[in-house]
Every structure is written in C-alpha cells, then in structure tokens.
Amino acid sequence: MRRKYLFTSESVTEGHPDKVADQISDGVLDELIRQDTNSRVAVETVVTTGMAFVTGEVTTRGYVDIPKVVRGVIKDIGYDNADYGFDYKTCAVISAIDEQSPDIDRGVTPGGAGDQGMMFGFASNETQEFMPLPILLAHKLTSRLSSLRREGILPWLRPDGKSQVSVEYVNGKPEKVKVVVISTQHSPDIPIEELRKEIINKVVEPIIDPSIRDKDIVYHINPTGRFVVGGPQGDSGLTGRKIIVDTYGGFGAHGGGAFSGKDPTKVDRSASYMARYIAKNIVASGVLPNCEVQLAYAIGVADPVSVMLQSIDNDTNKLEKLEKITRDIFPLRPKDIISYLDLRRPIYRKTAAFGHFGRELDEFTWERTDLKEKIKKEFSKA
C-alpha cells in the first residue's frame, strides 16, 4: 500500500513584523562588520506600533548610528507611508546596547564556540535547489508578492504577507500541491474578489507549475476577507521568531537557536550554515537522497562534541562512513568555519527574508556544492 500524507510549510514576506525585526538586527550586524570584521554582535529587535527597540550585546571598534540603520531598513522594506500604520519617518527608535561579557570572550578569542548548543542542516534531492518542495514554493510565493509590489504591478499590495503550501507526498516523494494559502496586506480600496483573482493569476500560477498542481487544488486567498492593518501596527515583531521559516519549513530537526543579529562566532548561525553545506554536498554527490546533519558544541571548546548524520536511506554502514568523511574533509571548528565560508562580511541582511537556504546567491557560500566530487571519491574508497 502506498503511504500518502500532506506536508505543509509556510513563508512570510519581508514586511512581516518578525521579519522586519530580523532585518533590522542583521542590518545593524552588517554595519558593524563593515567597520570592524571582528565585531562581536548579539542584537535583538522588537517592533510594534510606532516603535523599534534594539537591544543586545556588542563589542566592536566600529560605531553605528542605530536610528539611521533602523530607519533605512524600514524604508527599504516598504514602510514609507504613514497610511500603513508604521513608517520609517515617524517611528520611534530606542536603543539599549551593552558590551558583551568578557567571560564569553575568554573562550571565543582562542577559537572556541561562542555558546553551547546543537545545530542542524538539511538537504533533499526532491528539488534542484536541494530543498524540500513545500518551503521552496512557499518562499517563491512570498518573494513574488514582494516583487509585484515593488515593481508596481499590483500597486494595492502592502509589505506584510504570508504564504503556506501543502504538498501531497507518496512513499516519501512529493507529487501534488493540494492547498495554497496566501494572506497579503492590501490597500482598503481593492475589492476582495478582484484581489483573490489577481493573486491566483499573477502570484500562484506563475510559481506553481500546472504539472504539480492537483486538479482539485484548494486556494485560501486572504481567507478572512480583509487584511488592511498589518506589519508592526497589526502585530508586534521579534527577532528570531521565524526560525522554521528561516530553515527547512519543518523538515528535519531544529536546535532552537535563531540566526539574525548574531555574528559568525555564534555557532547558532555559523555551524547551521556549515551543517547545510555538508548536507547539500552529500546529497549533491548522489550518495544519499536526503541528509540531516547535526553538529553540537560546548562553549569555549573548538571541536564539536558530536557529529551525526541521518537519512531516509537508513543504511547504518553508509551513514557511519559519511560521518567519518564529514569529520575528515569539512572544517568544523568555529574559526575554520568562519574562514572557509568567508563569514566575516556584511552579507547578513540578505539572509533575513525568504530563507537562509536554497537561494544560490554569491554571498551564500554555504549553498556551494564544490565538495560533492570529493565526497563521492572518498565514499568509494571507504
């Protein structure tokens, strides 16, 4: 009997309040790294009606005009009109930044991890991006919402929005998209039926190929009928509250650590990027159909305390070989990860919307598959 199930993943636009907070935190991080590549940063942001509050710990030789960075990010996202209930000109910006604890620095400067914890990476051969299909489609839908708004093709769109995609899997393989949910903030003068028609015609259908649309596909487009009040006016936002959106949409495990606002000495970020890099290269090599990598660290200790691989191909001998290969060919110490992936660059605000993985941008070094042939070669010898 064929095993069927639905798997659902969601994405949010860059104007979602949690993503506004993430982008502000990473905007501050980028500016600090631009001035001092060795900046130690752990910044979090809260946004709500009329206010952005930036807090955290920073050690740096640089200086950042926090209000200027915050207002620049908010403007770029698209909150540039007071009619939206939140805009870069009038919102208050409050900053409460302290120096990072010297107790942490004692372990990090010699090359140890900036904190304890476990980090996960995942890859699957079900898409050419080596991402699970539901989260990949969800991100593409929110990205298209953003593009149509920015290009003025759908001028009634506003920055806040969400997507959700439910895919039917049969024997572990994606077959059909069964349900699509899109909720998008809009101007008050667009009739709901026109909005729904435009979203299906100009957002959904160009992204989801007819070959994978179920013949009875269900659309829920702005299901409440109205979404005018949105963004930080409609809901508070907080850095690190969309960690499943940031990663694999619920596929695989998650260590619980957020990425945004953290410099690469924080293994929550850098080791998660390395775990993705490892998993993607293993799957790209053809040795496994999918792969989940766990790396775990102790604060102040350079070497990971554990390295573990899992796959739907549960061949114990194969997984043990790959775990050894992983330790042999991939840099796993925090300093080595930072150097190998070139992480001391102001690249982080780009990661803070539409996912950290599955986007093959030049800055996203963890998306390279340059070690796939070496893995294949080493595996054949093992």
Side-chain angles (χ1 to χ4, degrees), residues 55 130 138 160-161 173 206 222 237 247 262 336 345 365 378:
T55 185
F130 297 97
D160 197 358
K173 298 184 181 298
N222 279 33
T247 52
K262 296 177 181 177
D336 296 336
R345 295 175 295 147
T365 52
E378 293 298 315

Side-chain angles (χ1 to χ4, degrees), residues 63-125:
Y63 168 78
V64 174
D65 184 338
I66 299 288
K68 183 177 179 181
V69 171
V70 171
R71 294 187 194 283
V73 171
I74 294 169
K75 179 182 180 182
D76 186 60
I77 289 170
Y79 288 112
D80 54 5
N81 189 323
D83 290 343
Y84 298 171
F86 184 81
D87 75 286
Y88 77 100
K89 292 180 182 177
T90 63
C91 73
V93 179
I94 301 171
S95 173
I97 303 291
D98 291 318
E99 188 174 0
Q100 192 178 77
S101 167
D103 295 343
I104 296 175
D105 183 67
R106 291 178 62 196
V108 175
T109 296
D115 204 351
Q116 70 174 45
M118 61 282 190
M119 298 81 207
F120 291 88
F122 184 81
S124 170
N125 66 6

Side-chain angles (χ1 to χ4, degrees), residues 13-26:
T13 65
E14 77 269 50
H16 184 282
D18 292 330
K19 280 288 138 199
V20 173
D22 283 343
Q23 289 168 92
I24 289 171
S25 294
D26 274 339

